[in-house]
């Protein structure tokens, strides 16, 4: 006897979609495990409470699974659980090595079985990238890599050592003295500069502009992009930055470009600063954001740019949950 597991998600709670997704899941499991109908003893389904339109077991019978026992049950409602999900366990007489199958949004439940998931989130300062990326990473249970933190750490290193960030020659000479690493504590990124945790220092407004300036140098970008690719190649992750979709991971399957009106972005940044005890006037923040965008957009190497295949999301009048839900739906619809 063997138990084979699987799961899938539906985009909408309709009988048609449930039938289609259940049939696809069962046929894939059958094919991957080379199961014959007579091998299958029973098929047990469970589904999340947001599915009402059709019994998965009934969909299985209609898909031709008629000679085994079928059963559907309801899952407990767990906070943060993947939505509109149908899970299955097939008990078989076969002794083959079980090949479990996780499709669509459920692919992320078993990342060890599925391909790596990299999500690129680019956009200007204050467009909501970091908040959205953190929540997306939580939802998909993958890492969040804040690439801006690396440029900020680099700028901080120069600043602390009296290196002029605008002077490419000095920055290049100094670069070997900069060792940036990131670690994850309780799911949150902690950024280290030469072994010291600098996660808070890099957030001060003065460092924002210095990071933008230092990030324009080719030597800096080569070093940072190398680190970013190394992390993204080993892990499923959401990366946010300016050039993720165009340069760091041009082959990423999921790319989004967040925008928002400068005044909205400045308002968000002012509030964020306030919550950290940093007092900077709205007008000053707005001016700095516009200047920084201009510098990031017009630099020669890997400028802030929407990749051709990125989905643009104007977040000006959306709240964070709306943006996260929109992106999640878009990804789940394509997995
Ligand atoms: O996202 P942030 O505000 O923390 O980024 C700080 C600066 O770093 C930003 O103004 C430009 C630079 N940056 C970059 O050039 N490429 C990235 N992928 C991320 C940030």
């Amino acid at each position: 006897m063997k138990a084979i597991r699987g799961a899938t998600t539906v985009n909408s709670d309709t009988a048609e979609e449930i039938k289609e997704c259940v049939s696809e899941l069962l046929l894939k499991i059958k094919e991957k495990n080379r199961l014959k109908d007579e091998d299958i003893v029973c098929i047990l389904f469970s589904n999340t409470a947001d599915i009402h339109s059709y019994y998965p077991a009934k969909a299985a019978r209609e898909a031709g699974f008629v000679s085994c026992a079928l059963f559907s049950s309801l899952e407990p409602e767990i906070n943060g659980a993947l939505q509109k999900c149908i899970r299955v366990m097939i008990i078989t007489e076969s002794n083959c090595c079980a090949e479990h199958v996780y499709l669509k949004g459920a692919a992320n439940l078993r990342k060890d079985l599925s391909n790596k998931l990299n999500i690129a989130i680019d956009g200007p300062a204050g467009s909501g990238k970091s908040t959205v990326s953190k929540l997306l990473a939580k939802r998909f249970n993958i890492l969040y890599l804040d690439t801006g933190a690396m440029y900020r750490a680099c700028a901080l290193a120069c600043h602390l050592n009296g290196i002029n960030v605008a002077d490419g020659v000095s920055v290049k000479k100094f670069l070997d003295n900069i060792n940036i690493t990131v670690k994850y504590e309780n799911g949150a990124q902690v950024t280290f500069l030469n072994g010291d945790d600098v996660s808070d220092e890099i957030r001060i407004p003065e460092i924002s502009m210095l990071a933008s300036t230092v990030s324009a140098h080719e030597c800096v970008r080569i070093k940072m992009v190398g680190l970013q690719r190394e992390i993204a190649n080993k892990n499923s992750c959401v990366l946010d930055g300016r050039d993720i979709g165009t340069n760091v991971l041009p082959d990423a399957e999921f790319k989004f470009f967040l925008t928002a009106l400068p005044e909205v972005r400045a308002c968000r940044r002012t509030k964020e600063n306030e919550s950290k005890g940093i007092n900077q006037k709205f007008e000053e923040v707005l001016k700095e954001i516009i200047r920084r965008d201009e510098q990031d957009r017009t630099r020669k190497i890997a400028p802030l740019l929407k990749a051709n295949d990125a989905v643009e999301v104007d977040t000006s009048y959306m709240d964070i949950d709306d943006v996260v839900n929109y992106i999640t739906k878009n990804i789940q619809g394509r997995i």
Side-chain angles (χ1 to χ4, degrees), residues 247-302:
N247 179 47
V248 180
L249 300 175
D251 296 329
E253 203 179 338
F254 303 105
K255 299 180 184 177
F256 298 89
F257 192 83
L258 306 191
T259 60
L261 295 168
E263 290 74 13
V264 174
R265 295 190 280 121
C267 184
R268 288 175 187 161
R269 191 46 57 91
T270 309
K271 281 189 189 146
E272 193 187 327
N273 283 347
E274 268 168 22
S275 73
K276 290 179 189 160
I278 301 168
N279 282 320
Q280 205 185 4
K281 279 196 186 126
F282 168 83
E283 290 75 18
E284 223 176 279
V285 176
L286 178 62
K287 230 196 246 168
E288 191 217 271
I289 274 188
I290 292 172
R291 230 177 94 214
R292 190 145 70 99
D293 283 355
E294 176 67 11
Q295 185 162 285
D296 291 342
R297 265 199 192 103
T298 55
R299 69 175 176 229
K300 285 205 180 74
I301 309 156

Side-chain angles (χ1 to χ4, degrees), residues 143-146 149-150 180-184 189-192 227 231:
L143 285 187
Y144 160 52
L145 180 61
D146 172 0
M150 294 179 166
I180 293 164
T181 47
V182 297
K183 283 191 189 152
Y184 290 87
Q189 176 173 323
V190 185
T191 307
F192 292 87
L227 285 171
I231 295 171

Side-chain angles (χ1 to χ4, degrees), residues 55-217:
Y55 284 114
K58 198 171 172 201
R61 196 165 298 291
E62 286 177 22
F65 292 78
V66 291
S67 57
C68 56
L70 295 162
F71 181 75
S72 298
S73 63
L74 182 64
E75 292 176 13
E77 286 189 60
I78 303 293
N79 290 339
L82 183 64
Q83 293 164 7
K84 297 198 186 72
C85 182
I86 299 171
R87 292 175 169 84
V88 68
M89 174 139 71
I90 301 185
I91 311 287
T92 74
E93 301 271 22
S94 148
N95 276 325
C96 67
C97 168
E99 292 274 353
H100 309 297
V101 176
Y102 287 75
L103 302 177
K104 301 185 193 282
N108 298 301
L109 296 171
R110 288 294 305 267
K111 288 189 287 291
D112 53 328
L113 302 175
S114 57
N115 291 332
K116 210 164 32 61
L117 175 70
N118 284 147
I119 304 170
I121 309 281
D122 287 305
S127 55
K129 296 187 307 288
S130 64
T131 314
V132 166
S133 299
K134 270 181 215 157
L135 291 170
L136 279 174
K138 215 171 186 183
R139 198 168 275 191
F140 285 97
N141 192 22
I142 59 180
L143 285 187
Y144 160 52
L145 180 61
D146 172 0
T147 64
M150 294 179 166
Y151 293 98
R152 284 172 179 269
C154 194
L156 179 68
C158 293
H159 182 60
L160 295 176
N161 288 279
I163 308 291
N164 175 4
V165 289
D167 176 359
V169 176
S170 305
V171 170
K172 193 172 182 179
K173 270 193 207 150
F174 184 64
L175 210 53
D176 281 346
N177 300 302
I178 302 177
N179 181 27
I180 293 164
T181 47
V182 297
K183 283 191 189 152
Y184 290 87
E185 283 174 14
N186 300 324
Q189 176 173 323
V190 185
T191 307
F192 292 87
L193 170 62
N194 298 334
D196 293 333
D197 177 355
V198 291
S199 309
D200 291 335
E201 287 103 304
I202 58 174
R203 295 290 149 204
I204 59 170
E206 196 182 351
I207 295 297
S208 305
M209 202 63 210
L210 297 180
S212 170
T213 305
V214 87
S215 72
H217 302 304

